[in-house]
Amino acid sequence: MKPSIEKLAEKGFLFSALFSVSITILIFFFMVFFSFPLFKGGDIAKFFTLEWNPYESGFGIVPMMAGTGIIALLALLIATPFGIGCSALISVFSTGYFGRFLRKVVEFMTGIPTVIYGFVAIFLLVPFIREIFEKGTGMCVLSASIMLALLILPTIILFISNAFNAVPKNYLDAADSLGATPAQKLVYIIIPLAWKGIISALVLAAGRAVGDTLISLMIAGNALQIPKGLSDAARTLTAHIALIIASDYESPEFKSIFVCGLILFIFTTLIILALRLLGYLKILRNR
Amino acid sequence: MNRFVEYQIKLFCWISGIILICTIGILLAFLLHKGFSSLNLPLIFGETRPLDGLFLKTRVVDGLFPAIVGTLLLILTSIIWAIPTGVAAGIYLAEYCNEKWKPGFNLLLDILAGIPSILIGLFGFAVSVFLHKHLSEHIYPCFLISSLALACLVLPYIIRTTEQSLVNLPFFIKTTGLALGASRLQNILLILIPYNLSRIISGIILAIGRCAEDAAVIMLTGAVAMAGIPDSLLSRYEALPFYIFYISSDYNSQEELMKGFGACIILLLICVFLFALSHILKRRAAKRFAIHI
């Protein structure tokens, strides 16, 4: 091909790459641009107060931050033992038929749309939770975190089981020749060697849990309060963004969702940096 | 470690595996049980005659047809934006990018891949507000904005699959063409990309799946409950995921609810089909590499 075409193509490739990464910067820029008037006006402190009351100009987003934190943390707490258990089953205990089947199921789970989890939960889990607590609507922190745990489980399981499989084979062979049982191999060799992988999986899952919109929007109840118990309704940052549809683009109410967006963006960046620090991002990219 | 603890660990792992499978089983069984009876032609076409609806002669009012068409059009449009950009950027990262710039590109792309979809939606919404204020009064959140936002959402996936599939090629394949006198561009376009096509396509299909399932982006950028089939890029539209969300919060009758379950099954079938297709292609690609190496 002519050298000029080569040059042109290279420019084109470079331009596409620059365009793609500039989206990230643009998103950050837009979040700052739209929430900037609030920073400048000096009433940013108001946003970090407890009260959300648009009629008396209280736009505190602390309840939403608390809701996000509590729901995501609870989901992680539920999902972690299951995640480690299932990945140990896949990589260590049942490498035969059942393990392969379980892995297929988990891979299949990554293909189920979030909105379907939410939809089924409304008619299956929520009535059940309502019966248990015997008060409220059943749309509460507990229901949301159970569904969220189910949503992030595939991420956790696939990531941890990849980390387990990456343990050098000769270590395992050595353990085998010393007569170690599978459980001993898991506790004394695989987990100590793969702990970074486990932490990375949890960090990644935390990112997914915080970033998910539909489940918390559909089944967390969306109440504007700091949840005090498992049966309380709560609202997350993501659901808050989805719920505020202000027609008046100049109102502080509308601008406050960009502060939420900025917080989520910074959180995502921190997650990515943490994953880099752990050195496990390569596995993620390869998937 | 005594035998009892070992036994407990093993038991715990098996129980967690079985609980997981049962949960998913119950979930799917519930969905199928509830929605199976509503899976028929009236679900899709309402009271319109199917053929009239299909060829756009009559507007389908109370069926899922506009939502399904909306979703498919949306996927198609966003993929048209995302594929050229994504593949080109992937080629750049794999073949041209120098080591000084690479960490920066990687960091920004990783952040883009990790950004919650609602934030991409908010970005699209902000862009439409910005354009509304500064460019034209007629720009509102619409089909065009949605498809662009969805393209942003799936761009990092397409870039990564393209890049990884090029980087992971065996050395002799990368160099044979060059040794025979092909230029760099010829080598990429005529040898590396065709050789890798099934892997790249599997990544693209996965990206299509993400377009199909995402509700958070389209919720903020112009999907509405009743709009019919979009007639221009600047009109509002219906989409399956949004329809499901809408029904769950705002159904008036048992009949509507049943339609919600039907919509769930259709969406699930679309996603599972795409997912399986991508899986098969990936596996075929893996087999092909196994022979060569």
Side-chain angles (χ1 to χ4, degrees), chain A residues 46 62 81 114 144 170 174 227 252 277:
Chain A
K46 253 195 223 162
V62 172
T114 327
N170 45 358
L277 215 60

Side-chain angles (χ1 to χ4, degrees), chain B residues 158-230:
Chain B
I158 297 182
I159 295 177
R160 283 285 176 233
T161 27
T162 312
E163 184 204 354
Q164 287 303 325
S165 66
L166 289 178
V167 167
N168 292 336
L169 277 179
F171 182 71
F172 69 90
I173 291 178
K174 276 198 230 174
T175 47
T176 307
L178 295 175
L180 290 172
S183 70
R184 212 173 175 187
L185 186 64
Q186 281 173 330
N187 191 37
I188 292 169
L189 293 184
L190 301 176
I191 301 174
L192 303 188
I193 296 281
Y195 194 80
N196 256 318
L197 208 56
S198 57
R199 239 194 232 187
I200 294 174
I201 290 176
S202 97
I204 289 171
I205 294 173
L206 220 55
I208 294 177
R210 284 196 54 107
C211 281
E213 70 151 346
D214 198 277
V217 170
I218 58 175
M219 211 153 80
L220 293 189
T221 53
V224 285
M226 277 300 259
I229 293 167

Side-chain angles (χ1 to χ4, degrees), chain A residues 124-139 143:
Chain A
L124 198 65
L125 182 70
V126 167
F128 184 68
I129 299 279
R130 193 188 304 145
E131 300 262 304
I132 290 179
F133 284 129
E134 291 178 339
K135 61 167 186 165
T137 53
M139 302 215 177
S143 328

Side-chain angles (χ1 to χ4, degrees), chain B residues 13 31 39 56 89 109 132 158 184 194 198 247 254 259 274:
Chain B
C13 291
L31 194 60
L39 277 184
L56 310 178
L109 277 181
H132 179 78
I158 297 182
R184 212 173 175 187
S198 57
I247 287 288
Q254 194 62 24
K259 266 167 69 183
L274 289 171

Side-chain angles (χ1 to χ4, degrees), chain B residues 108-129:
Chain B
L108 286 174
L109 277 181
D110 285 336
I111 294 176
L112 187 60
I115 283 178
S117 55
I118 185 98
L119 216 53
I120 307 261
L122 187 59
F123 171 61
F125 183 70
V127 168
S128 72
V129 168

